[in-house]
Structure formats: C-alpha cells, structure tokens
Amino acid sequence: MATGRFFQEVELPEQKSYSDGVVFPVVLSPTTNTNVTVFEEAIKAEKPWLESLLKKSGVILFRGFPVTTASEFNDVIEAFGYPEAPYIGGRASRTQVVGRVYTANETPPDKRIPFHHEMAYVPEFPAKLFFFCEEAPGSGGQTPIVLSHVVYEKMKEKHPEFVAQLEEHGVTYIILTGDEDQPLSSTGRGWKTAYNTDDKKVAEERAAKLGTRLEWIGNAAKVIAGPMPAIRFDKESQQKTWFNNLTGPTKGGRKIHDKGAFAELGNGEAVNDDAMDDCVKILEEECVIVPWKKGDVMLINNLTVLHAREPLLKPPRRVLASLCK
C-alpha cells in the first residue's frame, strides 16, 4: 500500500492483524532507491504521520533503507528529534558506540532475554527505543515484540484476582549487584556503573531519586526498586498495559530471569507462579518474531510494547540500540 512519495507500507508473513485494524508491526520500505540523507529528510517531513503510525501500531520496522553504520543510525535517530533518555539506574551492561548509539544488552548472545518494558523498574523510563541491525544473525537472535495491552487483557481474563493484586500493590524488584560489571548477566551492571559513582552515599542519593533504596553487603548492594506500578494506563491509546518485568519464570524464590534478580508484590507477598506460567504462554502466543535483516531499523513505543531477545543460534549478530524520551 502506497503511503506517500517516500515511504510505502509492505506486508510480512510474520505480522499480526487485529480486529481494530491494527497491523503489528507496521513495516515501511522506500518507494525508490535512496540514500541516508534523503531518508533523514523524509523522516523530518513525515514525522507527524510516522508518529501516528507508531501510536496506532506500537512498532515501526524500517526495512530496505541504506543504513549501514552506527554513525548513520545515529543520524537517523537525530532526524526524529527525540531527546535522549539517560540510562541512570539501568541494569544491563552496555557500551557507547557513537553519539547516542550503544550496544544492546551485552549478555552472552546464546542466552534468552525475557519480555520486558525497558527500565520498568524506575519512574523515568524511556518512551521510545530504537534498534539497528548492523550485522544480521546467521540464525536465531531475533527481537520478539508483543502488544502490552493484549497481554494485560488476557491475563485479566485468566487471573483476575492476581491482576487486581498487581493493580493495587504494584511490584518490587530486588537484585544483588557487585561494584564491578558482570557482562555475563542480563542484569549485570555493577552499582558503580549504574549510578555513575564510586561513592556509596552518592549512589544512595541517586538511587533514591529513582524510588530505589540500596542496602550494603560489603562492597555489594541489594538494590530494592519500588513498589512500582505493574499495570499502567496509556493515555494516548486509552488502554491498560502489562508494564512490568515479571515475565520470566518466577519459580524458586520468585526468580525473574537471572541469578540474584527477584520480584515480589509491593506488599511483600509472593508472585503467583501459576499466573506467571500462563503469562509466559500468552507472550509466546501473542508475540511477533521477525528475523533481522542487515540495515533494519526498529522503532518501538516502550509505553505499549514489550520486547525480548531470542538466543543466537548461529553468529554473527550485532544489534545496536538507543533510548529516547
């Protein structure tokens, strides 16, 4: 379907279509051969239309555009004009590549990263996420996406009492972290990097601004974030969303998806294991998994869409990221 002089919507077999007319994700390709500068100018010219697509669908996948380097990806991000979101208190190990572009989570690529809203454990989370496929995976390594309001509705239907508890009490996230980064862990950022200081008191102050408190165990910290809302109301879509990071298995001491990472209800009660098992099934049924192609740029509305990472089966893979307000 043609949608303008520069962008055209294309269909992929992996897309989902919903009864309200939403196509998830929207996939855009150029109508003619182009270059990065023309792409950037088209973004600026068509920004209101692109934002309306993002609001309706939750994800835009730009495919077939001539974005080949981290620097060009940075220029594309800048063309949208969104302010950069700081990663203060963020838990994944990431390295700056250029400008506003960072490596995505540096956890070993053969490990799965479960569904989450980016930085749902702090009050100031990014509104939008950009991903860029610099090197396409040989096999595996996709970034599954799922509409958060669909997960909420299906969980409320299946576990209304548990969802009511989440709405009333929220959720508290607890991780144990050392002073040094542990890149082998998906929540492996040490407290010094997470809060950008070597000083425990400064770290405590910066954590407190994020609704987080630190308890010290020698040089290690027990990071207690919350209670944070587990269900949020998205004003633009007028829908409730499953805005939490509970979506990994919780058996064995309410474990999330990594050793030393736990979650409990905001009133201190345990998370319902049966509900979480069903949640994982719902996520798997409702998600869309589009294999990466070199040059893909994916724009995600972090307020309405959860994302994950599939294990890499065949290297290489290099996906870069940027967080925006």
Side-chain angles (χ1 to χ4, degrees):
M1 179 176 67
T3 51
R5 287 179 301 173
F6 186 78
F7 296 105
Q8 61 181 349
E9 285 190 42
V10 297
E11 293 181 0
L12 295 179
E14 296 87 359
Q15 286 169 303
K16 281 186 182 285
S17 296
Y18 291 90
S19 57
D20 57 0
V22 169
V23 176
F24 180 74
V26 167
V27 184
L28 298 181
S29 291
T31 52
T32 58
N33 289 336
T34 185
N35 59 53
V36 174
T37 305
V38 174
F39 183 24
E40 291 164 30
E41 292 305 316
I43 289 166
K44 292 173 186 174
E46 300 283 357
K47 188 179 172 187
W49 174 71
L50 292 171
E51 288 193 317
S52 71
L53 279 184
L54 186 67
K55 177 182 171 181
K56 185 177 180 183
S57 176
V59 175
I60 302 174
L61 174 62
F62 296 92
R63 173 160 285 180
F65 295 90
V67 185
T68 57
T69 67
S71 181
E72 289 173 343
F73 174 46
N74 190 71
D75 291 342
V76 168
I77 297 161
E78 293 284 0
F80 276 92
Y82 301 129
E84 185 173 7
Y87 199 53
I88 298 294
R91 293 180 179 170
S93 295
R94 287 184 163 142
T95 304
Q96 186 180 19
V97 178
V98 60
R100 296 168 57 168
V101 176
Y102 287 76
T103 57
N105 194 314
E106 291 179 5
T107 310
D110 61 334
K111 300 281 190 290
R112 174 179 276 107
I113 298 174
F115 280 101
H116 60 286
H117 282 278
E118 195 68 32
M119 298 178 75
Y121 43 81
V122 293
E124 293 183 21
F125 38 80
K128 299 172 185 71
L129 318 173
F130 284 93
F131 289 109
F132 165 58
C133 181
E134 189 176 37
E135 269 192 290
S139 177
Q142 309 98 318
T143 301
I145 48 176
V146 66
L147 287 167
S148 193
H149 76 274
V150 173
V151 181
Y152 167 78
E153 287 162 8
K154 289 188 175 289
M155 282 297 291
K156 188 175 182 183
E157 189 180 312
K158 193 137 192 166
H159 294 279
E161 289 180 10
F162 174 62
V163 171
Q165 282 185 303
L166 282 178
E167 296 203 55
E168 182 179 352
H169 301 297
V171 64
T172 299
Y173 302 99
I174 302 161
I175 65 163
L176 304 174
T177 181
D179 53 352
E180 302 297 329
D181 291 355
Q182 302 290 333
L184 295 181
S185 162
S186 61
T187 56
R189 222 168 170 225
W191 63 264
K192 289 182 178 180
T193 307
Y195 299 107
N196 198 23
T197 181
D198 291 344
D199 188 312
K200 288 182 177 179
K201 280 202 164 50
V202 173
E204 286 176 17
E205 289 166 6
R206 289 179 179 170
K209 288 178 183 174
L210 301 172
T212 299
R213 67 184 190 277
L214 305 181
E215 294 178 0
W216 300 103
I217 308 161
N219 281 331
K222 186 177 184 181
V223 182
I224 304 164
M228 297 298 300
I231 309 296
R232 287 187 181 272
F233 180 72
D234 180 58
K235 290 177 183 174
E236 284 202 336
S237 63
Q238 294 288 298
Q239 291 167 322
K240 287 186 177 180
T241 58
W242 185 257
F243 201 92
N244 60 65
N245 289 2
L246 289 174
T247 47
T250 57
K251 289 192 187 298
R254 308 188 289 285
K255 189 170 177 285
I256 299 181
H257 54 81
D258 211 341
K259 65 180 183 180
F262 302 87
E264 61 188 22
L265 295 178
N267 63 357
E269 290 182 14
V271 172
N272 182 317
D273 284 339
D274 290 338
M276 286 297 94
D277 289 343
D278 284 335
C279 186
V280 170
K281 289 175 190 166
I282 290 167
L283 287 160
E284 288 172 355
E285 288 165 5
E286 293 298 327
C287 76
V288 171
I289 305 178
V290 179
W292 283 112
K293 284 194 173 182
K294 183 178 173 65
D296 280 353
V297 174
M298 185 184 282
L299 171 56
I300 296 178
N301 182 347
N302 188 46
L303 307 182
T304 61
V305 173
L306 300 112
H307 68 282
R309 189 188 75 186
E310 289 289 281
L312 181 65
L313 303 176
K314 185 181 175 187
R317 176 193 193 266
R318 185 166 165 86
V319 174
L320 304 178
S322 186
L323 312 181
C324 301
K325 292 182 179 177

